[in-house]
Short mmCIF file of all heavy atoms in Angstrom, two decimals:
data_model
loop_
_atom_site.label_atom_id
_atom_site.label_comp_id
_atom_site.label_asym_id
_atom_site.label_seq_id
_atom_site.Cartn_x
_atom_site.Cartn_y
_atom_site.Cartn_z
N GLY A 112 197.19 -68.49 -16.77
CA GLY A 112 197.33 -67.94 -15.43
C GLY A 112 198.40 -66.94 -15.32
O GLY A 112 198.23 -65.85 -14.67
N GLN A 113 199.41 -67.14 -16.07
CA GLN A 113 200.58 -66.19 -16.00
C GLN A 113 200.27 -65.03 -17.06
O GLN A 113 201.07 -64.14 -17.13
CB GLN A 113 201.93 -66.88 -16.40
CG GLN A 113 202.27 -67.89 -15.37
CD GLN A 113 203.69 -68.46 -15.72
OE1 GLN A 113 204.23 -69.23 -14.99
NE2 GLN A 113 204.20 -68.05 -16.84
N GLN A 114 199.16 -65.15 -17.68
CA GLN A 114 198.85 -64.15 -18.73
C GLN A 114 199.86 -63.98 -19.71
O GLN A 114 200.34 -62.81 -20.05
CB GLN A 114 198.41 -62.88 -18.04
CG GLN A 114 197.23 -63.07 -17.05
CD GLN A 114 196.86 -61.93 -16.24
OE1 GLN A 114 196.60 -60.86 -16.78
NE2 GLN A 114 196.94 -62.04 -14.94
N ILE A 115 200.42 -65.08 -20.15
CA ILE A 115 201.35 -65.10 -21.29
C ILE A 115 200.58 -64.88 -22.59
O ILE A 115 201.14 -64.43 -23.58
CB ILE A 115 202.14 -66.36 -21.27
CG1 ILE A 115 203.00 -66.48 -19.98
CG2 ILE A 115 203.19 -66.44 -22.50
CD1 ILE A 115 203.83 -67.74 -19.93
N CYS A 116 199.33 -65.38 -22.59
CA CYS A 116 198.58 -65.21 -23.85
C CYS A 116 197.06 -64.95 -23.46
O CYS A 116 196.70 -65.23 -22.36
CB CYS A 116 198.67 -66.51 -24.71
SG CYS A 116 198.30 -68.07 -23.85
N ASP A 117 196.43 -64.49 -24.48
CA ASP A 117 195.06 -63.95 -24.25
C ASP A 117 193.97 -65.06 -24.57
O ASP A 117 192.82 -64.93 -24.22
CB ASP A 117 194.65 -62.80 -25.23
CG ASP A 117 195.66 -61.66 -24.94
OD1 ASP A 117 196.17 -61.46 -23.81
OD2 ASP A 117 195.93 -60.82 -25.87
N GLY A 118 194.40 -66.08 -25.25
CA GLY A 118 193.53 -67.12 -25.63
C GLY A 118 194.23 -68.32 -26.14
O GLY A 118 195.43 -68.27 -26.27
N LEU A 119 193.54 -69.44 -26.48
CA LEU A 119 194.19 -70.67 -26.81
C LEU A 119 193.48 -71.26 -28.05
O LEU A 119 192.29 -71.16 -28.19
CB LEU A 119 193.98 -71.65 -25.64
CG LEU A 119 194.85 -71.42 -24.36
CD1 LEU A 119 194.56 -72.42 -23.42
CD2 LEU A 119 196.31 -71.37 -24.63
N ILE A 120 194.28 -71.91 -28.86
CA ILE A 120 193.78 -72.80 -29.87
C ILE A 120 194.28 -74.24 -29.57
O ILE A 120 195.46 -74.38 -29.37
CB ILE A 120 194.26 -72.43 -31.29
CG1 ILE A 120 193.67 -71.02 -31.62
CG2 ILE A 120 193.82 -73.37 -32.33
CD1 ILE A 120 194.30 -70.49 -32.96
N LEU A 121 193.44 -75.13 -29.43
CA LEU A 121 193.81 -76.47 -29.14
C LEU A 121 193.66 -77.40 -30.45
O LEU A 121 192.55 -77.43 -31.07
CB LEU A 121 192.91 -77.25 -28.10
CG LEU A 121 193.43 -77.11 -26.64
CD1 LEU A 121 193.52 -75.76 -26.15
CD2 LEU A 121 192.55 -77.99 -25.67
N MET A 122 194.69 -78.04 -30.85
CA MET A 122 194.70 -78.92 -32.03
C MET A 122 194.34 -80.41 -31.58
O MET A 122 194.68 -80.70 -30.40
CB MET A 122 195.99 -78.92 -32.75
CG MET A 122 196.22 -77.58 -33.46
SD MET A 122 197.87 -77.56 -34.29
CE MET A 122 197.58 -78.93 -35.52
N GLN A 123 193.83 -81.06 -32.47
CA GLN A 123 193.74 -82.55 -32.22
C GLN A 123 192.98 -82.88 -30.92
O GLN A 123 193.43 -83.53 -30.03
CB GLN A 123 195.19 -83.12 -32.14
CG GLN A 123 195.25 -84.58 -32.43
CD GLN A 123 194.85 -84.93 -33.85
OE1 GLN A 123 195.10 -84.10 -34.76
NE2 GLN A 123 194.31 -86.05 -34.06
N VAL A 124 191.84 -82.23 -30.79
CA VAL A 124 190.97 -82.35 -29.67
C VAL A 124 190.32 -83.74 -29.75
O VAL A 124 189.70 -84.12 -30.73
CB VAL A 124 189.99 -81.34 -29.53
CG1 VAL A 124 188.99 -81.61 -28.33
CG2 VAL A 124 190.67 -79.95 -29.33
N GLU A 125 190.40 -84.51 -28.67
CA GLU A 125 189.89 -85.92 -28.66
C GLU A 125 188.36 -85.78 -28.23
O GLU A 125 187.88 -84.88 -27.61
CB GLU A 125 190.63 -86.76 -27.67
CG GLU A 125 192.12 -86.74 -28.00
CD GLU A 125 192.92 -87.55 -26.97
OE1 GLU A 125 192.25 -88.27 -26.18
OE2 GLU A 125 194.09 -87.39 -26.92
N GLY A 126 187.70 -86.92 -28.55
CA GLY A 126 186.31 -86.98 -28.27
C GLY A 126 185.99 -86.73 -26.79
O GLY A 126 185.10 -86.03 -26.43
N ASP A 127 186.77 -87.39 -25.98
CA ASP A 127 186.65 -87.23 -24.60
C ASP A 127 187.90 -86.69 -23.96
O ASP A 127 188.48 -87.26 -23.07
CB ASP A 127 186.29 -88.60 -23.92
CG ASP A 127 185.81 -88.47 -22.58
OD1 ASP A 127 185.38 -87.39 -22.16
OD2 ASP A 127 185.97 -89.43 -21.83
N ASP A 128 188.34 -85.51 -24.43
CA ASP A 128 189.54 -84.91 -24.08
C ASP A 128 189.62 -84.55 -22.59
O ASP A 128 188.75 -83.89 -22.03
CB ASP A 128 189.82 -83.71 -24.92
CG ASP A 128 191.23 -83.37 -25.07
OD1 ASP A 128 191.94 -83.08 -24.03
OD2 ASP A 128 191.79 -83.48 -26.18
N GLU A 129 190.68 -84.95 -21.96
CA GLU A 129 190.88 -84.75 -20.59
C GLU A 129 191.01 -83.26 -20.19
O GLU A 129 190.85 -82.80 -19.06
CB GLU A 129 192.17 -85.45 -20.00
CG GLU A 129 193.33 -85.27 -20.86
CD GLU A 129 194.68 -85.39 -20.04
OE1 GLU A 129 194.63 -86.06 -18.95
OE2 GLU A 129 195.66 -84.79 -20.49
N ARG A 130 191.37 -82.46 -21.18
CA ARG A 130 191.62 -81.05 -20.99
C ARG A 130 190.29 -80.23 -21.03
O ARG A 130 190.30 -79.05 -20.63
CB ARG A 130 192.54 -80.50 -21.94
CG ARG A 130 193.94 -81.15 -22.00
CD ARG A 130 194.70 -80.78 -23.25
NE ARG A 130 194.07 -81.37 -24.43
CZ ARG A 130 194.56 -81.31 -25.64
NH1 ARG A 130 195.75 -80.70 -25.86
NH2 ARG A 130 193.94 -81.72 -26.64
N LEU A 131 189.15 -80.83 -21.41
CA LEU A 131 187.98 -80.09 -21.58
C LEU A 131 187.53 -79.50 -20.23
O LEU A 131 187.04 -78.28 -20.27
CB LEU A 131 186.85 -81.01 -22.13
CG LEU A 131 187.14 -81.42 -23.59
CD1 LEU A 131 185.95 -82.23 -24.15
CD2 LEU A 131 187.49 -80.22 -24.48
N PRO A 132 187.57 -80.08 -19.09
CA PRO A 132 187.04 -79.51 -17.87
C PRO A 132 187.90 -78.20 -17.68
O PRO A 132 187.30 -77.12 -17.31
CB PRO A 132 187.33 -80.51 -16.77
CG PRO A 132 187.44 -81.79 -17.54
CD PRO A 132 187.89 -81.50 -18.90
N VAL A 133 189.26 -78.27 -17.81
CA VAL A 133 190.05 -77.09 -17.61
C VAL A 133 189.71 -76.03 -18.60
O VAL A 133 189.61 -74.86 -18.26
CB VAL A 133 191.58 -77.48 -17.75
CG1 VAL A 133 192.41 -76.23 -17.70
CG2 VAL A 133 191.93 -78.46 -16.71
N VAL A 134 189.49 -76.45 -19.84
CA VAL A 134 189.17 -75.37 -20.92
C VAL A 134 187.88 -74.65 -20.49
O VAL A 134 187.88 -73.38 -20.60
CB VAL A 134 188.92 -76.11 -22.24
CG1 VAL A 134 188.27 -75.17 -23.26
CG2 VAL A 134 190.25 -76.60 -22.83
N ARG A 135 186.89 -75.40 -19.97
CA ARG A 135 185.67 -74.72 -19.62
C ARG A 135 185.88 -73.82 -18.47
O ARG A 135 185.15 -72.78 -18.37
CB ARG A 135 184.57 -75.82 -19.36
CG ARG A 135 183.87 -76.34 -20.54
CD ARG A 135 182.74 -77.29 -20.08
NE ARG A 135 183.07 -78.61 -20.54
CZ ARG A 135 182.47 -79.21 -21.67
NH1 ARG A 135 181.57 -78.49 -22.33
NH2 ARG A 135 182.86 -80.40 -21.97
N SER A 136 186.81 -74.07 -17.64
CA SER A 136 187.04 -73.27 -16.41
C SER A 136 187.83 -71.99 -16.73
O SER A 136 187.90 -71.06 -15.94
CB SER A 136 187.65 -74.10 -15.31
OG SER A 136 189.01 -74.29 -15.65
N LEU A 137 188.51 -72.06 -17.86
CA LEU A 137 189.35 -70.87 -18.22
C LEU A 137 188.53 -69.69 -18.53
O LEU A 137 187.52 -69.76 -19.17
CB LEU A 137 190.29 -71.32 -19.42
CG LEU A 137 191.69 -71.61 -19.11
CD1 LEU A 137 191.94 -72.27 -17.75
CD2 LEU A 137 192.26 -72.60 -20.26
N ASN A 138 189.06 -68.55 -18.10
CA ASN A 138 188.24 -67.32 -18.46
C ASN A 138 188.81 -66.55 -19.67
O ASN A 138 188.74 -65.37 -19.71
CB ASN A 138 188.31 -66.43 -17.24
CG ASN A 138 187.18 -66.80 -16.19
OD1 ASN A 138 186.01 -67.19 -16.63
ND2 ASN A 138 187.40 -66.71 -14.96
N VAL A 139 189.27 -67.40 -20.56
CA VAL A 139 189.74 -66.75 -21.78
C VAL A 139 189.10 -67.56 -23.01
O VAL A 139 188.71 -68.70 -22.83
CB VAL A 139 191.26 -66.75 -21.93
CG1 VAL A 139 191.96 -66.01 -20.79
CG2 VAL A 139 191.84 -68.17 -21.98
N PRO A 140 189.05 -66.90 -24.11
CA PRO A 140 188.56 -67.66 -25.30
C PRO A 140 189.46 -68.81 -25.69
O PRO A 140 190.71 -68.66 -25.64
CB PRO A 140 188.62 -66.57 -26.46
CG PRO A 140 188.69 -65.27 -25.67
CD PRO A 140 189.41 -65.50 -24.48
N VAL A 141 188.80 -69.88 -26.03
CA VAL A 141 189.50 -71.11 -26.48
C VAL A 141 188.79 -71.69 -27.64
O VAL A 141 187.57 -71.79 -27.72
CB VAL A 141 189.55 -72.15 -25.41
CG1 VAL A 141 190.31 -73.39 -25.86
CG2 VAL A 141 190.23 -71.60 -24.18
N VAL A 142 189.53 -71.95 -28.70
CA VAL A 142 188.93 -72.54 -29.89
C VAL A 142 189.49 -73.95 -30.05
O VAL A 142 190.76 -74.09 -29.97
CB VAL A 142 189.30 -71.64 -31.13
CG1 VAL A 142 188.93 -72.40 -32.43
CG2 VAL A 142 188.61 -70.40 -31.17
N LEU A 143 188.65 -74.86 -30.21
CA LEU A 143 189.11 -76.29 -30.40
C LEU A 143 189.04 -76.65 -31.86
O LEU A 143 188.06 -76.39 -32.55
CB LEU A 143 188.14 -77.22 -29.60
CG LEU A 143 187.81 -76.87 -28.17
CD1 LEU A 143 186.93 -77.99 -27.54
CD2 LEU A 143 189.09 -76.74 -27.35
N ILE A 144 190.16 -77.26 -32.30
CA ILE A 144 190.18 -77.92 -33.65
C ILE A 144 189.85 -79.30 -33.51
O ILE A 144 190.66 -80.05 -33.00
CB ILE A 144 191.43 -77.57 -34.36
CG1 ILE A 144 191.69 -76.11 -34.53
CG2 ILE A 144 191.42 -78.35 -35.74
CD1 ILE A 144 192.91 -75.83 -35.28
N GLY A 145 188.62 -79.72 -33.81
CA GLY A 145 188.14 -81.04 -33.45
C GLY A 145 186.92 -80.92 -32.65
O GLY A 145 186.67 -79.91 -31.96
N ILE A 146 185.94 -81.87 -32.75
CA ILE A 146 184.64 -81.74 -32.11
C ILE A 146 184.71 -82.84 -30.99
O ILE A 146 184.54 -84.05 -31.28
CB ILE A 146 183.50 -82.03 -33.04
CG1 ILE A 146 183.80 -81.27 -34.34
CG2 ILE A 146 182.15 -81.60 -32.47
CD1 ILE A 146 183.63 -79.81 -34.36
N PRO A 147 184.65 -82.43 -29.72
CA PRO A 147 184.52 -83.42 -28.64
C PRO A 147 183.14 -84.02 -28.50
O PRO A 147 182.23 -83.46 -29.16
CB PRO A 147 184.89 -82.63 -27.35
CG PRO A 147 184.57 -81.22 -27.76
CD PRO A 147 184.75 -81.07 -29.24
N HIS A 148 182.92 -85.05 -27.83
CA HIS A 148 181.62 -85.68 -27.70
C HIS A 148 180.64 -84.72 -27.22
O HIS A 148 179.47 -84.62 -27.74
CB HIS A 148 181.72 -86.92 -26.83
CG HIS A 148 182.43 -88.06 -27.51
ND1 HIS A 148 183.20 -88.95 -26.77
CD2 HIS A 148 182.44 -88.48 -28.79
CE1 HIS A 148 183.68 -89.79 -27.57
NE2 HIS A 148 183.25 -89.58 -28.81
N ASP A 149 180.99 -84.04 -26.17
CA ASP A 149 180.10 -82.99 -25.62
C ASP A 149 180.57 -81.56 -25.94
O ASP A 149 181.47 -81.08 -25.08
CB ASP A 149 179.88 -83.23 -24.16
CG ASP A 149 179.08 -82.09 -23.49
OD1 ASP A 149 178.38 -81.33 -24.29
OD2 ASP A 149 179.09 -82.00 -22.29
N PRO A 150 180.18 -80.84 -26.93
CA PRO A 150 180.76 -79.61 -27.30
C PRO A 150 180.04 -78.47 -26.63
O PRO A 150 180.28 -77.24 -26.91
CB PRO A 150 180.54 -79.51 -28.81
CG PRO A 150 179.47 -80.50 -29.12
CD PRO A 150 179.20 -81.37 -27.90
N SER A 151 179.17 -78.80 -25.61
CA SER A 151 178.40 -77.69 -24.93
C SER A 151 179.38 -76.73 -24.23
O SER A 151 180.26 -77.10 -23.57
CB SER A 151 177.39 -78.26 -23.95
OG SER A 151 178.09 -78.90 -22.90
N GLY A 152 179.08 -75.46 -24.44
CA GLY A 152 179.94 -74.48 -23.80
C GLY A 152 181.35 -74.33 -24.42
O GLY A 152 182.19 -73.62 -23.85
N LEU A 153 181.49 -74.86 -25.56
CA LEU A 153 182.83 -74.80 -26.24
C LEU A 153 182.72 -74.28 -27.65
O LEU A 153 181.67 -74.31 -28.28
CB LEU A 153 183.43 -76.16 -26.26
CG LEU A 153 183.67 -76.91 -24.93
CD1 LEU A 153 184.11 -78.38 -25.22
CD2 LEU A 153 184.69 -76.15 -24.12
#
Side-chain angles (χ1 to χ4, degrees):
Chain A
Q113 296 185 175
Q114 298 173 63
I115 299 179
C116 54
D117 300 332
L119 293 174
I120 298 178
L121 266 65
M122 291 178 62
Q123 201 67 30
V124 173
E125 303 176 17
D127 190 22
D128 204 296
E129 49 152 23
R130 299 166 297 184
L131 294 185
V133 174
V134 166
R135 275 186 246 256
S136 76
L137 256 28
N138 277 324
V139 299
V141 180
V142 171
L143 311 182
I144 299 184
I146 318 287
H148 288 146
D149 173 18
S151 65
L153 300 171

